Amino acid sequence: MPILSGVAANSYNQVVTAVIQLASLPFFLHYWGAERYGRWLMIAAIPAYFQMSDVGLSAVAMTKTCIAWARGDIDAAKVTFRSALLGVTLFALAGMLLTALGCVVFSPAGKEGGGALVLLIAGALLSTYSSLYDACFRIIDRYAYGTFIQSSIRLGEWAAGLAALAFGANFFGVALAMFVTRLICQTALTLYAHRLVPQLGISFTGASLTEIRELLPLGFAYLGFTLGSALSVQGLTLLVGNVLGARALVVFSTYRTLSRTVTQLINVVGHSIWPRFSMLYGLGQTAVAERLRVRTEQALIAASVLCLTGIALAGRSIIAFWGRGGLSYEPQVLLPLLGATALTAVYQVKLIALIATNRHIGVSLRFCIVSALALVMARVLVPTLGIAAPIAAVVGIELAMVVVVNIAFAAANEPSRANEPLASR
């Protein structure tokens, strides 16, 4: 039941993501046009980097808090949770300070765009608390409910921005509507999390700098996934927009978003089995965990191939309907991106198994390096190959990750390694 409820909650989360991605295009094109919408995409891509401001503390602290709670060590869980809360807050304040200094030094062109950027960054910094608060729901076996609440906050934030857009707001007005909504919802979530698990408490009392230092290595390792994703997604978005222009960016972003709708399915499964993997490995039930991994991987690959084939066959109709006739059908863009998504399904379950057991350090570093190299190569080749360069970068990243994850998973599951206690890794 926990896995099924997690699948349902994560399915809702991915539906929210898909709605935001798919519905944004026709609305923004209608009110702003392709050129202005392309500029907005470039502005909105930057705050994703500030979501890394907690340097992975939230995710690793959440896992450690849940393990300590499950073992009955409430005091250790409280120290970890409150220490991470302090660390996330300090990093968020540093992020806002850097934003303020950046605006003073670089003076972003246009008050409208600069103000919108600041508000979007502030909203991104607020969202860094979400992973940490997720621990409050997981430890009382209400993971699905917590996922539902946080997904609904994202949906409300987007809807507020869309409403401002419909009323004629500019960049700043849309960003302001989104930030105010995020601030109100995040405040309510903080109060609710405190009430839900008073034993942990939303407080800095008892926080330990030593605990923060112990969490940082794993946090930095986890950050590699976030940074690598930012380089491969937002980095390529900025590259296309700056080098090929706003119209080319709309094409690239639209087709990549379409291909990544299946990635949402992959993420649903991955996030749903994450807590189960942690529990099974923590209890030493590695054989049960391996059976779960194999069955999940087989089902996920089959479902992904089926969905991707359907999109490939219906691609022309989808683009015609979605773009309202404003975009041409370009199979040379769509098909390679669909192939990249298929490669994601091949390694994703193994990757989740590594992350859920804190054996992800080497993989995250390699993902970050691969993403950075792909971005550099795309920049070098884009004047010659045009939009084919970033498309090749996307495919190249996924091919490299298939190799990296399979090698890391095989090494982590060698008998000498598999029998080591998790705390020693």
Side-chain angles (χ1 to χ4, degrees), residues 69 203 263 276:
W69 185 279
S203 169
T263 305
R276 179 63 59 181

Side-chain angles (χ1 to χ4, degrees), residues 225 293 297 347-356 360 363-364 367 401 405 409:
F225 294 114
R293 182 197 66 78
E297 191 169 75
Y347 70 81
Q348 186 68 16
V349 177
K350 290 187 181 74
L351 178 60
I352 289 297
L354 292 171
I355 295 174
H360 58 273
V363 180
S364 66
F367 176 47
M401 287 304 296
V405 172
F409 187 81

Side-chain angles (χ1 to χ4, degrees), residues 180-199:
V180 170
T181 304
R182 165 64 66 171
L183 179 62
I184 293 172
C185 292
Q186 201 73 30
T187 301
L189 179 61
T190 300
L191 296 174
Y192 183 62
H194 181 77
R195 179 182 176 184
L196 199 63
V197 190
Q199 298 95 323

